[in-house]
mmCIF file of all heavy atoms in Angstrom:
data_model
loop_
_atom_site.group_PDB
_atom_site.id
_atom_site.type_symbol
_atom_site.label_atom_id
_atom_site.label_comp_id
_atom_site.label_asym_id
_atom_site.label_seq_id
_atom_site.Cartn_x
_atom_site.Cartn_y
_atom_site.Cartn_z
ATOM 1 N N ARG F 110 109.402 78.111 128.554
ATOM 2 C CA ARG F 110 110.015 76.809 128.939
ATOM 3 C C ARG F 110 108.955 75.707 128.849
ATOM 4 O O ARG F 110 109.341 74.563 128.586
ATOM 5 C CB ARG F 110 110.591 77.017 130.360
ATOM 6 C CG ARG F 110 111.742 77.972 130.308
ATOM 7 C CD ARG F 110 112.982 77.256 129.779
ATOM 8 N NE ARG F 110 113.128 75.921 130.148
ATOM 9 C CZ ARG F 110 113.666 75.579 131.334
ATOM 10 N NH1 ARG F 110 114.076 76.474 132.136
ATOM 11 N NH2 ARG F 110 113.704 74.323 131.637
ATOM 12 N N LEU F 111 107.689 75.990 129.199
ATOM 13 C CA LEU F 111 106.743 74.956 129.296
ATOM 14 C C LEU F 111 105.870 74.909 128.021
ATOM 15 O O LEU F 111 105.019 74.036 127.876
ATOM 16 C CB LEU F 111 105.805 75.018 130.515
ATOM 17 C CG LEU F 111 106.645 74.966 131.866
ATOM 18 C CD1 LEU F 111 105.640 74.943 133.028
ATOM 19 C CD2 LEU F 111 107.439 73.632 131.888
ATOM 20 N N ASN F 112 105.978 75.865 127.231
ATOM 21 C CA ASN F 112 105.241 75.940 125.985
ATOM 22 C C ASN F 112 103.697 75.975 126.203
ATOM 23 O O ASN F 112 102.921 75.364 125.408
ATOM 24 C CB ASN F 112 105.499 74.762 125.104
ATOM 25 C CG ASN F 112 105.999 75.194 123.729
ATOM 26 O OD1 ASN F 112 105.708 76.372 123.394
ATOM 27 N ND2 ASN F 112 106.741 74.392 123.049
ATOM 28 N N ILE F 113 103.246 76.560 127.261
ATOM 29 C CA ILE F 113 101.805 76.730 127.542
ATOM 30 C C ILE F 113 101.500 78.135 127.605
ATOM 31 O O ILE F 113 102.410 78.948 127.971
ATOM 32 C CB ILE F 113 101.320 75.923 128.813
ATOM 33 C CG1 ILE F 113 102.026 76.377 129.963
ATOM 34 C CG2 ILE F 113 101.437 74.475 128.571
ATOM 35 C CD1 ILE F 113 101.436 75.828 131.383
ATOM 36 N N PRO F 114 100.302 78.566 127.330
ATOM 37 C CA PRO F 114 99.968 79.989 127.467
ATOM 38 C C PRO F 114 99.957 80.428 128.924
ATOM 39 O O PRO F 114 99.775 79.635 129.920
ATOM 40 C CB PRO F 114 98.570 80.097 126.902
ATOM 41 C CG PRO F 114 97.987 78.767 126.951
ATOM 42 C CD PRO F 114 99.118 77.816 126.909
ATOM 43 N N ALA F 115 100.334 81.720 129.124
ATOM 44 C CA ALA F 115 100.339 82.251 130.446
ATOM 45 C C ALA F 115 99.772 83.650 130.491
ATOM 46 O O ALA F 115 99.981 84.418 129.557
ATOM 47 C CB ALA F 115 101.823 82.265 131.063
ATOM 48 N N VAL F 116 98.972 84.000 131.526
ATOM 49 C CA VAL F 116 98.386 85.400 131.503
ATOM 50 C C VAL F 116 98.421 85.947 132.862
ATOM 51 O O VAL F 116 98.111 85.252 133.904
ATOM 52 C CB VAL F 116 96.996 85.321 130.860
ATOM 53 C CG1 VAL F 116 96.145 84.278 131.482
ATOM 54 C CG2 VAL F 116 96.274 86.698 131.105
ATOM 55 N N ALA F 117 98.938 87.250 132.978
ATOM 56 C CA ALA F 117 99.009 87.902 134.275
ATOM 57 C C ALA F 117 97.852 88.896 134.336
ATOM 58 O O ALA F 117 97.204 89.180 133.286
ATOM 59 C CB ALA F 117 100.354 88.612 134.378
ATOM 60 N N ALA F 118 97.607 89.497 135.493
ATOM 61 C CA ALA F 118 96.609 90.583 135.584
ATOM 62 C C ALA F 118 97.227 91.672 136.513
ATOM 63 O O ALA F 118 97.646 91.377 137.568
ATOM 64 C CB ALA F 118 95.372 89.998 136.274
ATOM 65 N N MET F 119 97.163 92.892 135.924
ATOM 66 C CA MET F 119 97.803 93.941 136.731
ATOM 67 C C MET F 119 97.314 95.347 136.125
ATOM 68 O O MET F 119 96.735 95.398 135.004
ATOM 69 C CB MET F 119 99.245 93.973 136.728
ATOM 70 C CG MET F 119 99.978 94.127 135.343
ATOM 71 S SD MET F 119 101.792 93.866 135.395
ATOM 72 C CE MET F 119 101.850 92.038 135.477
ATOM 73 N N PHE F 120 97.644 96.330 136.833
ATOM 74 C CA PHE F 120 97.296 97.714 136.399
ATOM 75 C C PHE F 120 98.149 98.134 135.333
ATOM 76 O O PHE F 120 99.455 97.797 135.297
ATOM 77 C CB PHE F 120 97.405 98.613 137.650
ATOM 78 C CG PHE F 120 97.179 100.072 137.311
ATOM 79 C CD1 PHE F 120 95.933 100.504 136.886
ATOM 80 C CD2 PHE F 120 98.130 101.046 137.595
ATOM 81 C CE1 PHE F 120 95.715 101.864 136.643
ATOM 82 C CE2 PHE F 120 97.924 102.410 137.369
ATOM 83 C CZ PHE F 120 96.690 102.779 136.909
ATOM 84 N N GLU F 121 97.673 98.872 134.351
ATOM 85 C CA GLU F 121 98.468 99.302 133.222
ATOM 86 C C GLU F 121 99.702 100.055 133.584
ATOM 87 O O GLU F 121 100.712 99.990 132.911
ATOM 88 C CB GLU F 121 97.584 100.223 132.297
ATOM 89 C CG GLU F 121 98.253 100.607 131.010
ATOM 90 C CD GLU F 121 97.328 101.038 129.854
ATOM 91 O OE1 GLU F 121 96.174 101.334 130.262
ATOM 92 O OE2 GLU F 121 97.766 101.142 128.750
ATOM 93 N N GLY F 122 99.673 100.759 134.692
ATOM 94 C CA GLY F 122 100.878 101.546 135.108
ATOM 95 C C GLY F 122 101.845 100.829 135.925
ATOM 96 O O GLY F 122 102.920 101.412 136.256
#
Side-chain angles (χ1 to χ4, degrees):
Chain F
R110 293 289 315 280
L111 299 184
N112 237 339
I113 58 170
V116 48
M119 65 185 78
F120 177 60
E121 184 162 13

